[in-house]
Amino acid sequence: MTNPGKVYVVDDDVPLLRALVGLLRSAGYEALPFGDPAEFLEEDEPVDGACVILDLRLQETNGLDVQQALLRKGWAIPVIFLTGFGSIPSTVAAMQCGAANFLTKPVEEEALLQAVDAAISADSARLYDRRLLAELRARLQTLTPRELEVLPLAADGKMIKQIAYELGTSEITAKVHKKHVMEKMKARTLADLVRMTDRLSDEITAAVSRRLEV
């Protein structure tokens, strides 16, 4: 396993903290120990797949408060709660705030590693999706006002003749605009363009509306 992900371990039980970090590192993860949740909350948000293993009951605070602090910081990182005093209300509250899992102590090593693997996989997918959306938005910004009008028409599968008619232009001009749209959006096929416009539907609608108001 090569660099499978980063795991923040937050627990003020020092022996358990060391044991968890040792287990994770032996499994190939980059495990970072934090006996003080305040120190953990000073960290910068990871740019690659990661997760947090968080003790529900800490001496100075509790895991739910730490989870809330993460949300206020804008972190969407998955949180795996560990507790020896689990309760249904605590579990529900954690899950409602987006907890990835809720495991009771003593936790089985395999169960913990499976939970970590699932959480990091989900986080990696989330980050990839966020980067992809940012890239698509950047591509959208390169379109001219006319190309922006052509984009949804082309994605709807309209023929060049139909695009030209709706825009009140010649077929040659419509064909050139569509070609530029495909190139700038880096869409190899019509199916690619359809998927892109689906992801950017709100941005396209807003951009076209601004164009019509000018």
Side-chain angles (χ1 to χ4, degrees):
M1 187 183 302
T2 304
N3 190 26
K6 180 180 292 185
V7 185
Y8 300 91
V9 187
V10 185
D11 199 316
D12 52 18
D13 182 337
V14 176
L16 178 59
L17 179 63
R18 290 174 177 169
L20 292 173
V21 169
L23 171 64
L24 292 164
R25 288 177 177 172
S26 69
Y29 295 101
E30 179 185 354
L32 303 177
F34 294 91
D36 181 357
E39 181 182 354
F40 162 62
L41 291 173
E42 293 177 358
E43 289 285 301
D44 294 327
E45 185 177 13
V47 296
D48 295 314
C51 72
V52 182
I53 296 177
L54 179 60
D55 187 19
L56 183 63
R57 293 196 177 186
L58 301 162
Q59 292 182 6
E60 300 297 329
T61 182
N62 66 71
L64 294 178
D65 288 341
V66 176
Q67 184 188 31
Q68 288 296 323
L70 284 176
L71 294 175
R72 288 193 295 271
K73 282 165 61 76
W75 283 34
I77 186 172
V79 177
I80 300 171
F81 279 102
L82 283 183
T83 181
F85 306 93
S87 67
I88 293 178
S90 296
T91 303
V92 171
M95 292 301 183
Q96 286 178 338
C97 291
N101 215 320
F102 199 98
L103 304 175
T104 56
K105 302 176 183 177
V107 62
E108 295 184 2
E109 293 183 357
E110 187 62 29
L112 179 64
L113 293 178
Q114 287 179 356
V116 167
D117 183 64
I120 289 180
S121 294
D123 196 46
S124 296
R126 175 187 66 83
L127 291 172
Y128 173 79
D129 189 67
R130 187 171 70 178
R131 287 191 288 266
L132 177 59
L133 183 57
E135 173 62 25
L136 291 177
R137 286 171 173 164
R139 296 176 193 174
L140 186 67
Q141 293 298 317
T142 68
L143 300 184
T144 66
R146 180 60 88 181
E147 290 164 357
L148 190 60
E149 291 179 286
V150 170
L151 173 59
L153 299 175
D156 282 342
K158 294 186 181 299
M159 305 297 290
I160 294 297
K161 181 182 296 186
Q162 294 172 303
I163 295 175
Y165 175 78
E166 293 205 24
L167 297 182
T169 187
S170 69
E171 291 184 29
I172 293 177
T173 300
K175 184 175 182 179
V176 171
H177 284 320
K178 181 180 178 181
K179 179 175 181 291
H180 289 167
V181 167
M182 296 292 288
E183 291 174 345
K184 290 182 178 181
M185 294 303 295
K186 298 182 180 180
R188 293 174 296 179
T189 66
L190 177 59
D192 286 341
L193 194 66
V194 170
R195 285 191 290 269
M196 292 175 185
T197 54
D198 284 344
R199 292 295 309 276
L200 296 169
S201 59
D202 292 340
E203 289 87 346
I204 293 171
T205 299
V208 171
S209 296
R210 289 194 297 269
R211 164 65 174 163
L212 294 176
E213 292 172 358
V214 175

